[in-house]
Amino acid sequence: PVGAGVLPTLVWPRLRPAWALMQIEHPKVLTALCTWVLAVVALVVAIAAITGGGVPGDEACRFALAVLTTGALALCALIITARFGIAWALGTTIVWTIFSVTIGGDVLAATPLWILAVPAWPDVANSTLRFAVALVAGVALLAVAWAGAGRTLRGIAPLRR
């Protein structure tokens, strides 16, 4: 999860100076950026799933949930980076990860509080019901994050020097 939050803080400062022009030159640049962020997240998650050594069915479920949750985290970090800056994005990512590890890596994962530990869903959604809830919620989170990124990045004005 931390890597997914760091990715936008590395990319956005390089794109920001030319963002307004990029939107004029290529109207689909927003879709391209969000897709690229999700592709990088999916690649890292796929490498982790392949090298994880688990049962293929379990790894496929973990892969699906991990792409959804870390993809949503990466897009949220992109929104925070664009709106408030790198420090806020990194701080939010660290706090969200610590909160998730605290709930998802403890006996609290067996309680209904597991739903709050979004980055831990691939590990704590270990029943069919939990997986179904996490899958639906993950798709919803990713859709909201994608829409939020679109709304935030579309409204960015050109930099003034």
Side-chain angles (χ1 to χ4, degrees), residues 10 12 20 31 34-35 41 51 58 61 64-65 76 89 96 98 103 109:
L10 297 174
W12 182 248
T31 303
C34 291
T35 303
V41 166
T51 59
D58 291 343
C61 292
L65 291 179
C76 287
W96 194 5
I98 290 172
I103 293 200

Side-chain angles (χ1 to χ4, degrees), residues 42-145:
L43 177 66
V44 172
V45 170
I47 291 170
I50 290 169
T51 59
V55 177
D58 291 343
E59 290 300 322
C61 292
R62 281 194 191 120
F63 173 78
L65 291 179
V67 167
L68 292 172
T69 57
T70 54
L73 175 61
L75 291 177
C76 287
L78 180 62
I79 294 167
I80 294 168
T81 301
R83 188 166 281 182
F84 302 111
I86 294 171
W88 281 101
L90 292 175
T92 304
T93 299
I94 297 295
V95 168
W96 194 5
T97 302
I98 290 172
F99 179 77
S100 176
V101 168
T102 301
I103 293 200
D106 196 0
V107 295
L108 295 174
T111 69
L113 290 175
W114 73 272
I115 197 76
L116 299 175
V118 176
W121 284 356
D123 293 322
V124 299
N126 48 14
S127 70
T128 306
L129 178 62
R130 279 189 176 196
F131 177 75
V133 168
L135 189 64
V136 170
V139 168
L141 279 174
L142 187 59
V144 167

